[in-house]
Amino acid sequence: MNQIQSHKDLRVWQEAMDLVVAIYDVTKSFPKQENFGLSSQLQRAVVSIPSNIAEGAGRKGSKEFSRFLYIALGSLSEVETQIEIALRLQYLNNSEEINKRVYFIRNMLSKLIKSLENKS
């Protein structure tokens, strides 16, 4: 991996930010009683993904960066689970586009982690 100037230069961060927007758009249609339930949990989890990528990129060393990327992966799994819950509760009709984004981000995070661990 080349030296980055900012976490904003990372494609995975950019994609994670797009996922944040997509999730916020989706949760607008959730029932009002979910404002402090599933909607809130889903929004917090999705915001955690680019936040952890940014924090890790700002840390010193590949090992620390990798640790924050693993946390981002955990949050991504949380989002994936919560989207499945929303589908089962019929708050969503279709999650295909979000699932594609999640899959793409997971692959990018995994490859970045692998490249950082090979550096160490």
Side-chain angles (χ1 to χ4, degrees), residues 14-52:
Q14 296 164 3
E15 293 291 334
M17 291 294 287
D18 290 343
L19 181 61
V20 170
V21 172
I23 292 296
Y24 269 78
D25 282 345
V26 162
T27 56
K28 285 178 189 173
S29 67
F30 283 16
K32 291 288 180 224
Q33 74 263 19
E34 287 299 337
N35 281 349
F36 299 105
L38 188 57
S39 293
S40 178
Q41 261 190 296
L42 192 46
Q43 290 168 356
R44 281 194 311 271
V46 78
V47 165
S48 178
I49 300 164
S51 298
N52 276 291

Side-chain angles (χ1 to χ4, degrees), residues 1-18 47-59 65 68-69 72 108-109 112:
M1 184 176 96
N2 295 341
Q3 189 63 28
I4 58 170
Q5 297 296 316
S6 165
H7 59 275
K8 293 179 182 181
D9 297 330
L10 293 169
R11 176 124 189 255
V12 68
W13 179 85
Q14 296 164 3
E15 293 291 334
M17 291 294 287
D18 290 343
V47 165
S48 178
I49 300 164
S51 298
N52 276 291
I53 294 167
E55 186 170 354
R59 297 291 178 129
F65 189 10
F68 280 92
L69 294 177
M108 289 177 33
L109 283 170
L112 183 53

